[in-house]
């Protein structure tokens, strides 16, 4: 399974430093935000370079030129063989030892790690599997747009970051839809719009941006698509940007499955009202089916509304934990909260 998330950084909210290109600055910002939340790692970019992934992909296509479609399972023998060949070639050429001058200490530590080769091979295999799943119409952006290997270690989900101007495409893959959705939601929440005051620590790491005007504006383009290895649409994720705790509560109050309980409450209350109207003014003694049904529906409607409130605030509490906010006023519903929620719907067959 794989997800494709597209977004664009609004350049008007950025103050660039002198002699800095806009494309470079937005990439620097996105990289920093992903690294800060442990989705991208400097050590991974050293273990597996962009050039190695492109070379491995070219080799895989060359081997399968006469054999049909590319394999998309990272555990397949063909992908494993290509990954091993690229890793061996890198070791022979000494590319791994060269690294980048600013990160010599990190390179040295990675080289001493006895699991380096295993992690390199695994990262190359997963990167190849993602590249192999890219549709033919999007193949032209691979070489020009590929930037980084991503790895959400909390969910053990790999991904690739692509860039075109100030726009970015994040492709993640995993065989488990639940883990894939969790990693996708994490990435969306990381890159959601937020106040500039929340970015002081991140901006200290971004060398190309001097400041952000009031608020970082990132637009999510369209819906997130979750597709099968065969390219069939499995689920669609709709991104909702959160700007306040009250706004989040209002959004959840009108979404499924919470809203189903509201409809159930309204239906039962309506049944109760109808029975009461028909029974009003009628004299009856002893047991009355009409009176019993009216009271029963009234109790059910009250219970359904109570269940609605419990479901609403339970869901609100789960999402609220992942959002950021003004630490001075987190207990007030009117205080700020920022992040994003992904609402998943199953694709129609």
């Amino acid at each position: 399974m794989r997800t494709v998330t597209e977004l664009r950084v609004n350049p008007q909210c950025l103050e660039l430093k002198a002699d800095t290109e806009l494309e470079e600055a937005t990439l620097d910002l996105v990289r920093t935000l992903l690294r800060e939340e442990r989705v991208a790692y400097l050590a991974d970019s050293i273990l597996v370079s962009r050039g190695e992934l492109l070379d491995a992909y070219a080799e895989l296509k060359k081997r399968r030129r006469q054999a049909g479609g590319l394999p998309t399972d990272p555990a397949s023998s063909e992908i494993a063989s290509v990954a091993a060949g690229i890793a061996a070639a890198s070791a022979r050429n000494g590319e791994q030892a060269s690294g980048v001058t600013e990160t010599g200490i990190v390179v040295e530590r990675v080289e001493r790690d006895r699991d380096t080769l295993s992690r390199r091979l695994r990262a190359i295999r997963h990167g190849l599997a993602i590249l192999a799943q890219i549709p033919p119409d999007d193949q032209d952006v691979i070489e020009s747009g590929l930037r980084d290997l991503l790895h959400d270690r909390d969910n053990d989900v790999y991904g690739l970051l692509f860039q075109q101007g100030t726009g970015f495409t994040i492709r993640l893959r995993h065989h488990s839809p639940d883990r894939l959705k969790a990693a996708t939601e994490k990435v969306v929440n990381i890159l959601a719009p937020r106040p500039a005051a929340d970015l002081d620590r991140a901006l200290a790491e971004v060398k190309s941006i001097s400041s952000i005007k009031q608020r970082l504006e990132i637009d999510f383009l369209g819906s997130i698509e979750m597709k099968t290895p065969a390219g069939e649409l499995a689920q669609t994720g709709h991104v909702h940007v959160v700007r306040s705790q009250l706004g989040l509560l209002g959004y959840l109050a009108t979404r499924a499955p919470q809203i189903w309980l509201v409809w159930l409450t309204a239906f039962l209350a309506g049944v109760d009202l109808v029975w009461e109207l028909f029974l009003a003014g009628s004299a009856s003694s002893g047991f009355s089916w009409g009176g019993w049904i009216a009271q029963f529906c009234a109790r059910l409607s009250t219970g359904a509304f109570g269940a609605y409130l419990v479901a609403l605030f339970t869901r609100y509490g789960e999402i609220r934990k992942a959002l950021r906010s003004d630490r001075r006023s987190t207990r007030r519903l009117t205080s700020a909260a920022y992040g994003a929620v992904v609402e998943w719907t199953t694709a129609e067959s």
Side-chain angles (χ1 to χ4, degrees):
M1 305 290 287
R2 67 184 188 271
T3 59
V4 181
T5 305
E6 296 183 342
L7 54 100
R8 187 174 303 279
V9 179
N10 185 350
Q12 296 181 352
C13 69
L14 305 178
E15 287 283 357
L16 306 184
K17 293 183 178 179
D19 301 324
T20 300
E21 296 292 334
L22 179 59
E23 184 172 334
E24 173 192 351
T26 54
L27 176 59
D28 195 10
L29 175 64
V30 170
R31 278 174 169 167
T32 300
L33 294 177
L34 292 174
R35 286 173 181 168
E36 189 178 49
E37 298 294 337
R38 302 186 303 278
V39 172
Y41 297 85
L42 180 59
D44 285 348
S45 65
I46 297 170
L47 280 173
V48 182
S49 68
R50 172 182 176 274
E52 284 179 319
L53 282 177
L54 292 177
D55 289 346
Y57 185 54
E59 178 64 22
L60 182 64
K61 290 194 297 182
K62 180 180 177 181
R63 294 188 184 188
R64 290 299 297 263
R65 187 169 297 167
Q66 305 298 329
L70 297 176
T72 58
D73 184 353
S76 69
S77 58
E78 291 164 292
I79 287 182
S81 174
V82 171
I86 292 296
S90 297
R92 287 194 300 268
N93 296 333
E95 294 177 2
Q96 189 177 2
S98 63
V100 182
T101 56
E102 297 90 349
T103 57
I105 296 176
V106 178
V107 173
E108 183 180 356
R109 183 173 67 248
V110 170
E111 286 300 301
R112 289 200 305 265
D113 190 339
R114 62 181 182 180
D115 296 326
T116 295
L117 179 59
S118 175
R119 291 188 289 119
R120 276 172 55 79
L121 290 174
R122 190 164 185 263
I124 294 174
R125 290 202 310 268
H126 282 272
L128 274 177
I130 296 171
L131 291 174
Q133 291 180 336
I134 295 178
D137 294 342
D138 297 331
Q139 290 286 312
D140 57 335
V141 304
I142 292 179
E143 185 168 351
S144 61
L146 179 61
R147 294 293 180 264
D148 292 324
L149 173 76
L150 306 179
H151 185 197
D152 176 10
R153 296 182 183 176
D154 293 336
N155 296 290
D156 195 25
V157 173
Y158 282 89
L160 295 177
L161 174 68
F162 296 84
Q163 180 185 20
Q164 286 185 295
T166 61
F168 295 85
T169 299
I170 296 176
R171 297 177 178 271
L172 304 176
R173 73 155 304 280
H174 199 275
H175 62 85
S176 168
D178 291 338
R179 287 197 180 188
L180 182 58
K181 284 196 283 189
T184 303
E185 292 168 1
K186 181 177 180 179
V187 168
V188 168
N189 197 42
I190 290 170
L191 299 176
R194 64 173 89 170
D198 187 61
L199 292 161
D200 292 341
R201 186 174 65 178
L203 283 180
E205 303 294 329
V206 179
K207 306 303 182 183
S208 54
I209 299 176
S210 58
S211 65
I212 293 178
K213 304 173 185 177
Q214 296 184 336
R215 185 178 182 87
L216 172 63
E217 294 294 343
I218 295 180
D219 301 318
F220 293 95
L221 309 178
S223 301
I224 300 173
E225 294 184 340
M226 177 186 287
K227 292 187 176 182
T228 66
E232 299 175 347
L233 183 63
Q235 294 191 41
T236 301
H238 303 277
V239 179
H240 174 74
V241 175
V242 177
R243 296 179 182 270
S244 70
Q245 297 192 72
L246 188 59
L248 172 61
L249 191 62
Y251 170 77
L252 295 176
T254 58
R255 312 308 298 179
Q258 293 83 230
I259 194 63
W260 298 342
L261 291 171
V262 174
W263 295 337
L264 179 60
T265 300
F267 171 74
L268 292 172
V271 172
D272 177 42
L273 178 61
V274 169
W275 280 110
E276 289 293 337
L277 289 175
F278 275 108
L279 293 174
S282 63
S284 59
S285 59
F287 177 79
S288 168
W289 278 106
W292 180 84
I293 292 176
Q295 293 178 18
F296 182 68
C297 288
R299 290 192 294 269
L300 282 180
S301 63
T302 303
F305 187 70
Y308 163 73
L309 293 177
V310 171
L312 171 60
F313 281 97
T314 299
R315 181 65 175 149
Y316 168 80
E318 292 173 351
I319 295 177
R320 179 63 189 85
K321 293 177 182 178
L323 301 179
R324 300 171 179 85
S325 65
D326 184 347
R327 296 177 182 177
R328 296 167 298 179
S329 57
T330 55
R331 295 185 178 181
R332 299 205 317 263
L333 280 177
T334 55
S335 63
Y338 27 96
V341 178
V342 181
E343 179 191 0
W344 297 96
T345 56
T346 302
E348 296 181 0
S349 58

